[in-house]
């Protein structure tokens, strides 16, 4: 039997067309038609690639291909000089498009002969998977050889999208939400079933595979799988507890919001694993949390959610960056436990001994949590109609060193991956945004060896582009700046003098006094008096605030002051 595989270039052509279409319906129709024709074995990787991913969100694999390695391969294939590369990058604005243009203009003639054997979707996935698996001594050279073998056979358009997949550039405006709709249309399955399945397993590629393989019955049968993390339900902002009570019809649950890191814990008998907010497995970093779950929790099989905070010798919470040091630590954990002890607080239960609870009202889930977990492990809470009582609870949380409170609607289900107004967070800190670092400058004076001035960007969900809304150099300690420099150098794409352009991976929480109009940035906005509050290692770039959120805050300012003249 002839194995007719789909060419990778067909997927690239699809992505190009998507970048040129503004109609949401037209995009969905186009993708639905494409994935419907794929072989079953191609569907999962193709669906992920179309939205700019290679692996599921919870998958631990990383490519760890630096900008230096990418440039070395490009130089081998085209002979391009560093100053020429900068010229092409300035012309195109992104690395993928830059590679495409350079391949068109500078590719060595000898390489064109190798393009005759077309790349396929399955082959590209196989090689990318192999690159991600390479680690240890000599890994950089091995990754370089694999990447060169792939790019040497790629057309200019294929090179563009291969590079985008490797560095995480997503700018053709087709995200996971639209893909859910496309899968529903392609295989004639209600969209709400596709969305729920994806919420539960956090792998849009596998959802598409099951939709094609088993249809509606297969999708309906998909449920929570232990040790396969669920996307966390997210909270929106509220200004005061009074606003939250008003929005929830006069009664709400208020929980303490610790200044910690969110965790999702899966347990099946003696096996326990801990996942971060980004769905990363952090089990090895938190042995005392494992010990606590083993000794204190009665249920045999369960999934619970909570916060891990760092605590000082006096038992009070330590700043957020301390708990993040524990999350990043995989060696010397015992020493770290002695220096930075952590404490677990639980606030929700999603699954217990075969029963899925996400559709149950919040108050029922809280009752179930009390049945299986001792009181000292449950986050403090009150349920009230009294605004004065809610304010007093909020003030006590702040006094005890916490970040604020979260108000929860009593009948709300748990909606994985959704940021809705069933949970509202109220904090006592200045207004903040979670922004992505897209470039950084080396400093001056004693900071001249460190990347210490950061270009901060908000995400445009329509295009996948990160739009700069300001620069900031205050708020981090020297130790944190050194850590940022190490990480950003690994993510470097190119250099312009003392400025380093980086892959958009690191999220910073940034406080500011207000948002202003600005002609200096493509976004049209700039932060005034920006200050970094903390490094959000627990958040992915996709979770950063959007340009719509920036615009919303900008407009909201004029409820309190006169609108500026434009």
């Amino acid at each position: 039997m002839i194995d007719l595989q789909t060419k990778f270039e067909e997927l690239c052509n699809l992505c190009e067309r998507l970048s040129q279409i503004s109609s949401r319906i037209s995009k969905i129709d186009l993708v639905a038609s494409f994935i419907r024709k794929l072989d079953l074995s191609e569907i999962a990787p193709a669906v992920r690639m179309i939205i700019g991913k290679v692996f599921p969100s919870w998958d631990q694999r990383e490519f760890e291909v630096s900008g230096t390695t990418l440039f070395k391969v490009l130089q081998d294939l085209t002979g391009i000089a560093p100053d020429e590369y900068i010229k092409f990058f300035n012309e195109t604005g992104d690395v993928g498009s830059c590679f495409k243009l350079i391949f068109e203009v500078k590719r060595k003639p000898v390489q064109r002969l190798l393009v005759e054997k077309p790349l396929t979707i399955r082959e590209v996935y196989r090689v990318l998977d192999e690159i991600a698996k390479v680690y240890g001594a000599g890994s950089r050279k091995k990754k370089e050889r694999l990447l060169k073998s792939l790019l040497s056979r790629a057309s200019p358009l294929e090179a563009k999208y291969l590079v985008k997949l490797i560095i995480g550039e997503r700018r053709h405006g087709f995200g996971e939400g639209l893909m859910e709709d496309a899968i529903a249309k392609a295989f004639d399955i209600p969209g709400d079933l596709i969305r729920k399945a994806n919420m539960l397993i956090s792998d849009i590629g596998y959802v598409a595979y099951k939709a094609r393989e088993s249809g509606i019955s297969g999708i309906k049968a998909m449920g929570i799988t232990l040790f396969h993390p669920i996307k966390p339900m997210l909270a929106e902002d509220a200004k005061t507890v009074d606003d939250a009570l008003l929005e929830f019809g006069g009664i709400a649950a208020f929980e303490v919001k610790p200044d910690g890191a969110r965790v999702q814990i899966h347990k099946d008998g003696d096996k326990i694993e801990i996942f971060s907010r980004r769905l990363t497995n952090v089990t090895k970093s938190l042995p005392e949390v494992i010990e606590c779950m083993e000794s204190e929790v009665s249920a045999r099989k369960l999934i619970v959610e909570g916060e891990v905070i760092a605590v000082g010798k006096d038992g009070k919470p330590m700043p957020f960056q301390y708990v993040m040091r524990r999350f990043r630590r995989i060696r010397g954990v015992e020493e770290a436990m002695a220096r930075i002890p952590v404490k677990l607080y639980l606030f929700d239960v999603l699954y217990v001994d075969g029963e899925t609870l996400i559709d149950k009202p919040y108050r029922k889930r809280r009752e179930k949590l009390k049945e299986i977990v001792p009181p000292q492990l449950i986050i403090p809470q009150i349920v009230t109609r009294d605004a004065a009582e809610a304010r007093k609870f909020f003030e006590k949380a702040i006094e005890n060193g916490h970040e604020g409170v979260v108000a929860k609607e009593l009948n709300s289900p748990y909606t994985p991956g959704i940021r809705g107004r069933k949970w509202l967070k109220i904090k006592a800190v200045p207004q903040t945004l979670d922004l992505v670092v897209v470039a950084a400058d080396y400093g001056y004076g004693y900071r001249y060896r460190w990347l210490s001035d950061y270009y901060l960007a908000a995400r445009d969900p329509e295009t996948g582009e990160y739009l700069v809304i300001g620069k900031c150099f205050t708020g981090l300690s020297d130790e944190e700046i050194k850590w940022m420099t190490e990480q950003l150098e690994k993510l470097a794409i190119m250099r312009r003098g003392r400025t380093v352009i980086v892959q958009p991976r690191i999220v910073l929480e940034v406080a500011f006094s207000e948002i202003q109009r600005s002609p200096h940035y493509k976004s049209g906005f700039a932060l005034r008096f920006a200050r970094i509050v903390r490094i959000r290692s627990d958040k992915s770039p996709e979770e950063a605030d959007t340009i719509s959120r920036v615009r919303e805050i900008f407009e909201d300012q004029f409820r309190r002051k006169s609108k500026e003249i434009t």
Side-chain angles (χ1 to χ4, degrees):
M1 181 183 291
I2 299 174
D3 184 14
L4 295 175
Q5 295 188 43
T6 305
K7 295 176 184 177
F8 181 62
E9 191 155 33
E10 291 181 47
L11 186 146
C12 299
N13 282 322
L14 171 72
C15 292
E16 284 289 278
R17 290 182 65 189
L18 290 172
S19 68
Q20 297 157 9
I21 296 173
S22 57
S23 165
R24 185 177 183 276
I25 294 173
S26 297
K27 287 183 176 185
I28 290 167
D29 288 345
L30 193 62
V31 173
S33 176
F34 180 83
I35 63 177
R36 194 184 292 121
K37 297 183 298 185
L38 295 173
D39 182 78
L40 184 62
S41 64
E42 298 172 326
I43 285 180
V47 161
R48 294 191 206 107
M49 287 177 187
I50 292 167
I51 64 170
K53 296 182 179 180
V54 179
F55 309 119
S57 305
W58 46 265
D59 197 299
Q60 303 300 299
R61 285 170 290 179
E62 294 275 355
F63 291 117
E64 295 184 351
V65 172
S66 67
T68 303
T69 298
L70 275 173
F71 178 72
K72 174 70 167 59
V73 172
L74 181 66
Q75 199 168 40
D76 287 347
L77 295 176
T78 65
I80 193 165
D83 58 337
E84 287 182 290
Y85 177 71
I86 293 173
K87 176 174 169 286
F88 279 110
F89 182 86
N90 290 340
E91 221 176 294
T92 59
D94 70 72
V95 183
S97 298
C98 176
F99 266 64
K100 177 178 180 288
L101 186 57
I102 292 169
F103 266 47
E104 288 170 341
V105 176
K106 300 280 294 181
R107 191 171 192 158
K108 294 177 181 177
V110 68
Q111 298 296 334
R112 293 197 182 103
L113 298 174
L114 298 175
V115 181
E116 291 175 6
K117 184 183 177 185
L119 293 168
T120 65
I121 290 171
R122 275 169 30 194
E123 187 177 10
V124 166
Y125 177 77
R126 179 187 60 78
V127 178
L128 291 177
D129 180 47
E130 200 172 338
I131 291 172
K133 286 177 178 174
V134 173
Y135 67 95
S139 61
R140 187 184 64 79
K141 283 289 185 185
K142 290 175 188 174
K143 287 176 187 285
E144 190 179 301
R145 284 197 299 272
L146 287 165
L147 190 55
K148 186 175 178 181
S149 73
L150 204 54
L151 285 169
S152 67
R153 293 173 49 205
S155 67
L157 183 63
E158 288 173 323
K160 172 180 176 176
Y161 284 97
L162 283 170
V163 170
K164 280 178 172 288
L165 286 170
I166 288 166
I167 68 172
E169 269 186 355
R170 303 177 182 96
R171 292 177 72 170
H172 56 271
F174 197 85
E176 201 159 309
L178 289 181
M179 180 58 81
E180 288 170 343
D181 291 335
I183 294 166
K185 185 176 183 65
F187 305 115
D188 195 24
I189 297 172
D192 59 339
L193 293 181
I194 295 294
R195 281 185 282 279
K196 184 172 182 180
N198 191 35
M199 286 176 183
L200 293 177
I201 70 163
S202 304
D203 184 353
I204 191 69
Y206 186 68
V207 170
Y209 173 89
K210 291 300 290 184
R212 167 67 180 277
E213 180 196 49
S214 308
I216 192 168
S217 62
I219 293 297
K220 282 183 173 179
M222 294 179 76
I224 285 177
T225 303
L226 283 170
F227 309 109
H228 195 144
I230 302 163
K231 293 179 181 179
M233 181 173 175
L234 305 172
E236 285 279 11
D237 292 320
K239 288 186 172 61
T240 66
V241 296
D242 300 64
D243 292 340
L245 277 171
L246 183 64
E247 187 154 349
F248 291 158
I251 185 169
F254 291 90
E255 293 178 357
V256 168
K257 186 181 190 306
D259 193 13
R262 190 164 173 178
V263 291
Q264 186 179 117
I265 305 172
H266 292 228
K267 179 177 185 286
D268 185 357
D270 294 334
K271 183 180 179 182
I272 299 171
E273 290 187 359
I274 308 166
F275 299 92
S276 71
R277 179 195 177 103
R278 297 183 66 171
L279 311 185
T280 302
N281 194 315
V282 293
T283 307
K284 292 180 180 178
S285 301
L286 302 168
E288 60 265 68
V289 174
I290 296 293
E291 185 179 334
C292 176
M293 290 294 296
E294 288 173 337
S295 61
E296 303 287 350
V297 178
S298 60
R300 178 171 178 78
K301 295 185 177 185
L302 83 162
I303 300 174
V304 288
E305 277 206 311
E307 293 257 352
V308 170
I309 66 167
V311 290
K313 291 179 181 178
D314 56 3
K316 293 182 178 180
M318 297 172 74
F320 178 79
Q321 62 262 33
Y322 287 93
V323 75
M324 279 296 97
R325 290 178 195 171
R326 285 295 308 274
F327 271 58
R328 293 194 289 263
R329 182 63 67 96
I330 56 174
R331 295 185 181 86
V333 173
E334 288 188 9
E335 178 193 346
M337 286 170 64
R339 286 191 301 107
I340 309 175
V342 298
K343 184 173 182 178
L344 172 67
Y345 284 111
L346 298 174
F347 59 73
D348 216 328
V349 56
L350 313 182
Y351 176 89
V352 178
D353 292 334
E355 182 184 7
T356 297
L357 303 174
I358 62 170
D359 292 328
K360 300 281 186 185
Y362 162 75
R363 55 188 171 80
K364 293 288 187 184
R365 300 197 308 275
R366 181 82 180 194
E367 288 169 10
K368 176 62 75 172
L369 187 64
K370 289 178 181 177
E371 290 175 15
I372 60 174
V373 174
Q376 67 270 20
L377 281 187
I378 300 178
I379 216 156
Q381 178 218 59
I382 62 167
V383 176
T384 187
R385 296 179 181 275
D386 186 338
E389 184 183 12
R391 286 194 292 272
K392 186 176 179 182
F393 184 78
F394 171 79
E395 288 160 7
K396 186 177 179 183
I398 299 299
E399 186 182 325
N400 289 337
H402 299 299
E403 198 176 16
V405 298
V406 179
K408 296 185 176 180
E409 204 275 323
L410 291 174
N411 291 314
S412 59
Y414 188 97
T415 52
I418 302 297
R419 188 183 292 281
R421 296 198 67 80
K422 297 298 184 182
W423 290 4
L424 299 172
K425 53 188 175 183
I426 303 112
K427 299 192 285 187
V429 295
Q431 192 158 32
T432 64
L433 285 167
D434 293 323
L435 300 171
V436 181
V437 180
V438 294
D441 293 338
Y442 274 95
Y444 293 90
Y446 80 95
R447 290 184 173 183
Y448 82 100
R449 292 183 178 177
W450 301 340
L451 288 166
S452 55
D453 196 355
Y454 311 109
Y455 294 74
L456 306 166
R459 185 172 58 87
D460 184 344
E462 294 297 317
T463 65
E465 189 174 1
Y466 290 94
L467 300 173
V468 174
I469 62 170
K471 288 175 69 179
C472 189
F473 59 87
T474 59
L476 297 182
S477 66
D478 287 352
E479 184 182 346
E480 288 171 320
I481 292 170
K482 289 176 185 177
W483 182 86
M484 285 286 290
T485 302
E486 290 171 6
Q487 301 308 308
L488 292 172
E489 279 291 359
K490 293 175 186 175
L491 298 171
I493 293 169
M494 66 164 295
R495 299 170 193 277
R496 293 174 178 164
R498 293 180 64 77
T499 301
V500 180
I501 313 297
V502 300
Q503 299 172 36
R505 298 286 176 82
I506 295 178
V507 179
L508 299 178
E509 184 178 349
V510 181
F512 54 93
S513 63
E514 66 180 14
I515 296 173
Q516 301 174 318
R517 288 281 188 195
S518 173
H520 301 296
Y521 298 121
K522 182 180 175 181
S523 66
F525 299 103
L527 299 178
R528 186 166 183 252
F529 299 133
R531 183 180 185 279
I532 299 166
V533 176
R534 55 185 174 175
I535 302 166
R536 293 306 304 254
S537 301
D538 59 327
K539 284 196 171 185
S540 68
E542 290 79 18
E543 290 183 275
D545 281 299
T546 65
I547 199 66
S548 300
R549 176 66 179 145
V550 173
R551 191 175 294 111
E552 180 185 309
I553 295 172
F554 173 77
E555 293 293 342
D556 187 58
Q557 292 169 164
F558 302 112
R559 292 198 305 172
R560 302 182 298 279
K561 60 177 74 173
S562 175
K563 193 155 190 174
E564 64 186 13
I565 298 171
T566 56

